[in-house]
Amino acid sequence: MASRGKSETEKLKQNVEDQMDRLLRELKDLEEAKEELDDDEYTDTKRDIIDQLKEFEESLAKMAKGDISLVDEFSSIQLAIQAAISEAFKTPEVIQMFARKQPGQLRQRLSQIDRDLMLNKISPSLAKTQKTEILTALQRLGDSLRSEELAFLQDNDNDLLKQFRSAGDGSVGEDKLHSIIK
């Protein structure tokens, strides 16, 4: 009897993750195809994806209010959606790892960025942006940051990431969501 609803919860959780993955894949594909699209087409498509993310976030908020056992599972996904909506994170891959609570993979990606920068595979600007996003995600997941990582984050932080990091427990009020989106 203790497993009552457990399979349904797992199925719902999987469906939520699949939906999030689909939306983030669309966002990633759009970013990769940006050069092939004219500005209007890119802007309209991105706006559509952001609107879908907003609707998805609203659905999650309603589900979380109705089922206490799902609140913890949805809060990290909800924060990831907030980050995507607010454009605090520019890298869909980081959003996805954050939503799935994968600090190990985030750490691996951080190492890969440092290596790619040393090999001149990525620009210093891109490396700084991605490193800041990853360190913010790690900090939000409760992962301990080394002193040099904290110093890097403090030196390279932006307002959107600060708002995201201080978003509290993942519950989204209408005013909080609007302040993050703006």
Side-chain angles (χ1 to χ4, degrees):
M1 296 293 265
S3 67
R4 172 177 261 174
K6 187 174 182 175
S7 66
E8 290 83 358
T9 299
E10 286 301 313
K11 186 173 182 174
L12 180 59
K13 180 182 168 195
Q14 185 60 50
N15 288 342
V16 166
E17 288 176 357
D18 290 347
Q19 175 75 356
M20 181 193 64
D21 287 345
R22 182 188 65 78
L23 290 169
L24 293 175
R25 250 190 328 273
E26 286 181 23
L27 194 58
K28 182 180 179 185
D29 291 346
L30 178 65
E31 292 301 321
E32 289 173 356
K34 184 177 183 176
E35 300 300 319
E36 300 167 17
L37 304 171
D38 64 50
D39 287 344
D40 289 339
E41 188 177 14
Y42 171 78
T43 303
D44 290 344
T45 304
K46 187 166 185 173
R47 187 178 312 115
D48 289 344
I49 295 170
I50 297 298
D51 287 345
Q52 288 178 48
L53 281 164
K54 288 177 186 177
E55 289 173 18
F56 184 51
E57 190 278 329
E58 289 170 6
S59 296
L60 281 178
K62 289 176 185 175
M63 283 188 255
K65 285 180 185 175
D67 186 347
I68 299 301
S69 67
L70 296 177
V71 171
D72 289 339
E73 297 298 329
F74 288 145
S75 33
S76 67
I77 294 171
Q78 202 170 20
L79 276 172
I81 291 169
Q82 289 174 38
I85 292 169
S86 72
E87 298 183 13
F89 288 165
K90 305 290 184 205
T91 315
E93 179 184 22
V94 173
I95 297 169
Q96 190 170 27
M97 286 185 270
F98 172 77
R100 292 182 178 241
K101 298 180 183 178
Q102 298 173 326
Q105 287 184 312
L106 285 165
R107 287 265 174 214
Q108 286 176 345
R109 180 71 184 121
L110 192 58
S111 296
Q112 183 181 359
I113 290 167
D114 288 336
R115 185 178 61 246
D116 289 350
L117 180 61
M118 286 186 353
L119 297 173
N120 290 321
K121 289 185 176 183
I122 60 174
S123 70
S125 173
L126 180 61
K128 182 174 92 171
T129 298
Q130 290 185 1
K131 192 171 180 177
T132 303
E133 290 176 7
I134 291 171
L135 290 173
T136 298
L138 286 168
Q139 190 175 47
R140 190 70 176 108
L141 287 172
D143 200 50
S144 296
L145 299 183
R146 297 186 308 268
S147 59
E148 63 270 12
E149 292 172 332
L150 287 169
F152 178 88
L153 197 55
Q154 188 173 11
D155 292 343
N156 297 288
D157 216 354
N158 67 43
D159 289 337
L160 288 173
L161 288 172
K162 286 177 186 171
Q163 287 178 352
F164 172 73
R165 209 174 22 261
S166 65
D169 63 2
S171 58
V172 180
E174 202 60 31
D175 56 336
K176 193 180 284 185
L177 180 60
H178 288 301
S179 73
I180 291 173
I181 292 171
K182 291 177 184 172

